């Protein structure tokens, strides 16, 4: 029985020394790539080849490789996370590509996500948005209520859990023509706004998080819906609508 033939591919990969230098695409050939391997495993093989040739490997982010952390984010053939839906880059497999294909690999493109090196971008803007209000304050003096003792309607609990599924990969920003972070911020606002534990700080939270989002240089939402389509966790546009309602309510109350 003959062995399964591997893929022979041409890779056009963005190389950039740092955020202050000009980057460019460089072309690499790679052969005999198993269709069972993941996209990141393919990059691992390429880097091993480059190291063996005495060349500098390609820098890219990765951690869990289980679709949980969101660090592996890449723009592949014009799509965030590549030519599949409901997955992160680490969950993309080479069977999605054809033998002889040219694959274009880029980092996220957003002013708020400056390139660190090659395919790695700085997503700490998301961290700062979260620090502005993406949390609840709980009195732990001994009078804390068991969260399970607080009644929550099933529909609200389900929606909160769906919003909390956001992994902060930034695909919404990279996909949006405006570089908007509204889906990310909407999800983080919603996961608390839907629960009684989050209502205490709700008004301050949404005002502070939207303010931080604007200060980081993210663009405005124009409701094209590309963010929802490319989100690996299927975060709904409903969360943006909820954030807008929360914001308007807080803004009016603030006077």
């Amino acid at each position: 029985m003959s062995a399964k033939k591997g893929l022979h591919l041409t890779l056009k990969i963005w190389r950039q020394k740092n955020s202050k230098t000009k980057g460019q695409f460089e072309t690499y050939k790679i052969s005999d790539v198993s269709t069972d391997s993941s996209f990141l495993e393919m990059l691992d093989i390429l880097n091993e080849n480059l190291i063996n040739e005495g060349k500098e490997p390609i820098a890219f982010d990765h951690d869990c490789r289980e679709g949980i952390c969101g660090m592996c984010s890449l723009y592949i053939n014009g799509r965030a996370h590549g030519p599949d839906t409901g997955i992160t880059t680490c969950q993309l497999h080479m069977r999605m590509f054809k033998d002889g294909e040219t694959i274009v690999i880029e980092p996220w493109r957003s002013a708020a996500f400056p390139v660190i090196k090659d395919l790695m971008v700085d997503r700490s803007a998301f961290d700062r948005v979260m620090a502005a209000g993406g949390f609840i304050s709980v009195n732990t003096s001994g009078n804390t209520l068991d969260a399970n003792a607080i009644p929550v309607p099933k529909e609200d609990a389900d929606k909160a859990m769906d919003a909390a599924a956001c992994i902060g990969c930034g695909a919404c920003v990279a996909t949006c023509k405006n570089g908007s972070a509204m889906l990310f911020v909407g999800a983080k606002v919603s996961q608390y706004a839907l629960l009684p534990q989050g209502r205490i700080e709700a008004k301050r939270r949404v005002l502070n998080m939207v303010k931080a989002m604007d200060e980081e240089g993210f663009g405005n939402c124009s409701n094209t819906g590309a963010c929802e389509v490319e989100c690996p966790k299927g975060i709904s546009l409903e969360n943006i609508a909820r954030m807008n309602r929360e914001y308007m309510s807080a803004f009016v109350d603030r006077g």
Side-chain angles (χ1 to χ4, degrees):
M1 191 176 193
S2 61
K4 192 174 182 181
K5 182 182 177 182
L7 301 175
H8 298 267
L9 303 166
T10 299
L11 307 176
K12 293 184 67 176
I13 301 177
W14 186 260
R15 302 301 305 265
Q16 186 171 340
K17 188 175 181 180
N18 54 52
S19 61
K20 293 181 171 56
T21 58
K22 186 177 180 180
Q24 70 284 323
F25 282 105
E26 293 188 7
T27 303
Y28 303 91
K29 299 284 188 179
I30 187 168
S31 301
D32 201 26
V33 177
S34 170
T35 54
D36 293 327
S37 63
S38 72
F39 196 85
L40 296 190
E41 288 171 335
M42 181 274 293
L43 290 180
D44 289 337
I45 294 169
L46 175 62
N47 275 344
E48 186 175 350
N49 293 342
L50 291 175
I51 291 170
N52 290 336
E53 295 170 6
K55 299 177 181 177
E56 186 174 6
I58 296 152
F60 64 93
D61 248 335
H62 61 96
D63 190 4
C64 75
R65 298 204 178 195
E66 294 179 345
I68 298 171
C69 71
M71 290 181 66
C72 61
S73 310
L74 296 175
Y75 212 69
I76 303 164
N77 282 352
R79 288 189 63 182
H81 295 299
D84 204 348
T85 56
I87 58 144
T88 54
T89 300
C90 65
Q91 296 173 303
L92 178 66
H93 283 79
M94 297 311 296
R95 55 179 169 267
M96 297 297 297
F97 301 93
K98 298 177 181 178
D99 187 39
E101 188 171 349
T102 297
I103 304 175
V104 181
I105 311 169
E106 305 171 70
W108 282 170
R109 302 292 191 181
S110 170
F113 291 160
V115 172
I116 297 174
K117 184 176 182 180
D118 295 340
L119 303 175
M120 297 175 63
V121 298
D122 180 358
R123 282 174 292 178
S124 61
F126 272 6
D127 297 330
R128 291 186 288 274
V129 172
M130 288 297 291
F135 54 86
I136 62 170
S137 299
V138 178
N139 183 351
T140 58
S141 62
N143 299 318
T144 307
L145 287 175
D146 184 347
N148 292 328
I150 303 174
V152 180
K154 178 68 164 57
E155 184 179 357
D156 290 346
D158 288 345
K159 288 180 179 179
M161 288 296 291
D162 288 344
C166 170
I167 57 176
C169 68
C172 50
V173 176
T175 300
C176 178
K177 63 182 181 181
N178 306 318
S180 172
M182 291 281 277
L183 191 66
F184 167 77
V185 180
K188 297 307 178 183
V189 167
S190 290
Q191 70 186 40
Y192 297 117
L194 288 160
L195 300 176
Q197 295 91 334
R199 294 311 304 166
I200 299 170
E201 299 170 282
K203 296 186 185 303
R204 182 174 64 185
R205 174 183 302 111
V206 69
L207 291 173
N208 289 345
M209 292 185 74
V210 170
K211 181 175 182 288
M213 175 183 68
D214 291 341
E215 289 175 347
E216 292 294 338
F218 292 107
N220 293 319
C221 175
S222 51
N223 296 310
T224 59
C227 54
E228 181 180 2
V229 172
E230 298 294 4
C231 174
K233 300 303 177 181
I235 304 299
S236 172
L237 289 174
E238 290 180 2
N239 292 293
I240 296 179
R242 184 176 297 106
M243 181 187 72
N244 286 336
R245 292 194 298 270
E246 291 282 323
Y247 184 85
M248 289 303 297
S249 175
F251 186 81
V252 170
D253 285 355
R254 185 180 64 175

